[in-house]
Amino acid sequence: MLKSLVNKYNIAGPRYTSYPTVPYWNQESFSLKKWKSSLIQSFKESNSKEGISIYIHLPFCESLCTFCGCNKRITKQHSVESPYINAVLKEWQLYLELFDEKPVIKELHLGGGTPTFFSPENLKHLILEILRTSELADGHEFSFEGHPNNTTREHLQALFDVGFRRVSYGVQDYNETVQKAIHRIQPFKNVKQATELAREIGYTSVGHDIIFGLPFQTLEHVEETILKTKELLPDRLAFYSYAHVPWIKGNGQRGFNDTDLPSAELKRNQYELGKELLAEVGYEEIGMDHFALTTDSLYQSMTHGDLHRNFMGYTASKTQAMIGLGVSSISDSWYGFAQNVKGIESYYNLLKDNIIPVYRGHILNDEDLTIRKHILNLMCRFETSWTKDWLYFDELPDALILLKEMKKDGLLQVYSNKIEVTKKGQPFVRNICMAFDVLLQRKQPDTQLFSMTV
């Protein structure tokens, strides 16, 4: 049965870290002026109540991992650190000038690239400068992505000293053949050391990222990786499907042939095996492709109904406004999205002219906002509801028609004004969201824009 469902629903589809998805942003009606207005409105509505989130993209890596779809710059020259941090702080200053009160930071995350490419001193300086011009919300959470091979005690201590309590390490897979294929050689002892160092210093949440569907990866490799993971028992896990999108990301994902990738059926079996092994030691599934121990804030946010999803993935708290700093970062005012330029030189040049370095975005209309709520409900709570007065949209009957086959296959239950995703349907939640994605339904892409859903 699983095999037939995988074959049936394994199609290209968005991961829904936003709605509308980036390929469907209306850039003709977007402008930097409109983006600023939407952010100012959001800031006034939410800063004093819940605070804001900040995402900082640190793009540098010393070597290229061929599974990676992130925006990165490969270099071993660490002289790039200070100019980049100064530019990020300049961008932050330009945002500060839009507001009439100090931002209250609820959540801050350092992503990459490799954030630990930067020295502990430079990272600490970056955060201290941001903290100097802002306030902290109660229950704030600071986190960063660490590379197990180069996250030192000094990195962990410096970031702990300025408020970081959560770190996630990219593990991917422990098998040497797989690691060679993705150019990410990383012994278990390095992950073990980085995990134990974080706990020794006082980090309250240590996460691991594991990927299935990698080149040459077998069921046995996934089992080996999960069993080693159980030895360290990270507080939360991202266990997700490799997104093979070389037509978008360029040569970085062409370090192997398509024939070296597991089949859709094998990928699904890898996921089901991993999920079963994780459940045996107390991990709870959170939303799509995430797991956490019951002591972790991600699990607690799910039980309290506070789980949120944005460009950082699943988060334990929601803020209406999220400011993205650094090249390619995406900001979210709830009413609009804005993405920074991807080239470092362009980024520097715009900041030199005192221009917030946005190059594209989307301002949401009323329909967008309604659909966005439905998709967030489905991705975070596996259900959504509506009445004629609340969350109803003109094409809802068409969406329900598209869901009939999924209902027949037992993936969801449909009621008069509500749908609920079943346990059987949770692995196919992206497919279910696609029925609500009216922009996708109105204009199916001519070429493949998204990774496969399975």
Side-chain angles (χ1 to χ4, degrees):
M1 183 63 178
L2 175 63
K3 179 179 179 180
S4 63
L5 287 176
V6 168
N7 291 338
K8 186 173 184 177
Y9 292 109
N10 186 33
I11 60 174
R15 288 180 180 265
Y16 290 111
T17 50
S18 76
Y19 182 84
T21 56
V22 176
Y24 288 90
W25 284 0
N26 185 346
Q27 297 182 59
E28 292 180 4
S29 63
F30 176 82
S31 69
L32 181 57
K33 182 179 180 181
K34 289 180 181 178
W35 160 244
K36 289 180 181 179
S37 296
S38 79
L39 181 60
I40 291 168
Q41 176 188 349
S42 185
F43 184 86
K44 287 178 178 178
E45 292 173 354
S46 64
N47 183 57
S48 60
K49 296 177 184 176
E50 63 185 17
I52 68 168
S53 297
I54 299 174
Y55 171 76
I56 305 175
H57 190 73
L58 302 172
F60 301 109
C61 300
E62 287 196 347
S63 64
L64 177 67
C65 302
T66 58
F67 69 90
C68 179
C70 301
N71 182 39
K72 61 268 181 187
R73 175 71 64 92
I74 308 302
T75 181
K76 295 185 183 294
Q77 302 302 315
H78 286 263
S79 58
V80 300
E81 293 184 33
S82 290
Y84 188 80
I85 284 178
N86 290 337
V88 168
L89 292 173
K90 173 67 177 291
E91 184 185 1
W92 173 241
Q93 187 59 45
L94 291 177
Y95 274 114
L96 290 176
E97 292 171 4
L98 301 179
F99 310 138
D100 54 10
E101 62 182 22
K102 275 189 174 183
V104 178
I105 300 176
K106 178 73 172 179
E107 190 173 31
L108 186 150
H109 183 74
L110 304 180
T114 306
T116 45
F117 171 95
F118 288 76
S119 72
E121 296 77 17
N122 279 332
L123 290 174
K124 192 170 185 177
H125 168 67
L126 169 64
I127 301 305
L128 285 175
E129 285 300 302
I130 289 175
L131 295 182
R132 184 178 60 81
T133 55
S134 57
E135 298 176 359
L136 293 176
D138 294 338
H140 60 274
E141 187 174 84
F142 289 5
S143 58
F144 76 96
E145 298 166 12
H147 193 313
N149 287 355
N150 67 12
T151 300
T152 63
R153 177 184 291 274
E154 290 74 21
H155 280 115
L156 289 161
Q157 188 65 58
L159 290 171
F160 184 88
D161 290 345
V162 292
F164 284 73
R165 295 295 181 269
R166 188 167 73 80
V167 57
S168 61
Y169 294 118
V171 173
Q172 325 324 340
D173 187 283
Y174 285 116
N175 180 267
E176 190 174 340
T177 299
V178 176
Q179 288 187 356
K180 285 180 179 177
I182 63 175
H183 202 230
R184 177 83 169 210
I185 304 301
Q186 182 170 276
F188 174 72
K189 66 177 183 179
N190 292 9
V191 180
K192 184 174 188 289
Q193 180 182 40
T195 299
E196 292 175 348
L197 271 176
R199 288 178 168 152
E200 180 185 322
I201 287 169
Y203 284 76
T204 54
S205 179
V206 179
H208 288 181
D209 290 354
I210 300 171
I211 301 178
F212 62 92
L214 291 168
F216 305 110
Q217 193 180 46
T218 65
L219 272 176
E220 290 73 24
H221 295 154
V222 171
E223 182 176 19
E224 175 194 8
T225 295
I226 297 292
L227 291 176
K228 286 182 178 295
T229 299
K230 286 164 64 174
E231 289 183 41
L232 303 179
L233 214 62
D235 300 274
R236 65 174 70 170
L237 283 164
F239 180 48
Y240 57 95
S241 169
Y242 164 60
H244 189 56
V245 287
W247 60 87
I248 295 176
K249 297 301 180 183
N251 291 333
Q253 289 198 359
R254 292 192 186 276
F256 39 84
N257 297 320
D258 287 1
T259 53
D260 300 326
L261 296 170
S263 67
E265 180 187 358
L266 176 54
K267 282 180 69 176
R268 198 70 237 164
N269 288 336
Q270 289 174 343
Y271 180 76
E272 295 298 333
L273 173 63
K275 184 167 71 169
E276 181 183 327
L277 293 172
L278 292 171
E280 289 176 3
V281 287
Y283 284 98
E284 295 286 342
E285 191 167 13
I286 311 292
M288 180 185 75
D289 303 341
H290 284 66
F291 298 80
L293 299 176
T294 57
T295 52
D296 190 79
S297 62
L298 200 65
Y299 172 79
Q300 293 160 8
S301 72
M302 182 188 73
T303 59
H304 296 149
D306 298 329
L307 189 67
H308 184 55
R309 185 169 174 82
N310 57 26
F311 286 103
M312 295 187 286
Y314 284 105
T315 63
S317 61
K318 173 189 176 295
T319 62
Q320 187 167 300
M322 182 183 78
I323 296 176
L325 304 173
V327 291
S328 75
S329 287
I330 299 178
S331 299
D332 178 1
S333 68
W334 183 255
Y335 305 111
F337 302 115
Q339 183 172 20
N340 282 351
V341 294
K342 297 183 179 182
I344 292 175
E345 293 74 19
S346 301
Y347 178 71
Y348 289 165
N349 288 335
L350 288 166
L351 290 169
K352 189 167 65 174
D353 292 333
N354 295 315
I355 298 172
I356 293 176
V358 164
Y359 87 104
R360 66 175 175 176
H362 179 89
I363 302 300
L364 282 76
N365 59 31
D366 289 343
E367 180 187 79
D368 293 337
L369 289 167
T370 296
I371 303 298
R372 182 179 191 185
K373 290 173 186 174
H374 280 300
I375 286 179
L376 275 173
N377 288 341
L378 288 166
M379 295 297 292
C380 296
R381 286 173 276 284
F382 292 122
E383 64 178 44
T384 194
S385 60
W386 61 88
T387 66
K388 279 293 183 182
D389 301 314
W390 185 77
L391 291 191
Y392 189 87
F393 58 99
D394 290 342
E395 292 174 53
L396 179 60
D398 297 328
L400 295 178
I401 291 172
L402 291 172
L403 292 173
K404 276 188 174 180
E405 190 70 15
M406 296 184 199
K407 179 186 176 184
K408 182 180 175 183
D409 288 330
L411 305 186
L412 69 157
Q413 293 289 338
V414 180
Y415 304 96
S416 60
N417 63 350
K418 179 179 181 177
I419 68 168
E420 293 178 353
V421 182
T422 64
K423 281 283 186 184
K424 183 179 178 182
Q426 288 180 12
F428 304 96
V429 66
R430 289 166 68 184
N431 302 76
I432 295 168
C433 287
M434 288 167 69
F436 282 81
D437 188 341
V438 296
L439 296 177
L440 177 65
Q441 297 305 328
R442 289 172 191 161
K443 186 181 179 182
Q444 293 287 334
D446 296 326
T447 58
Q448 188 169 342
L449 298 177
F450 307 107
S451 62
M452 305 302 283
T453 57
V454 176

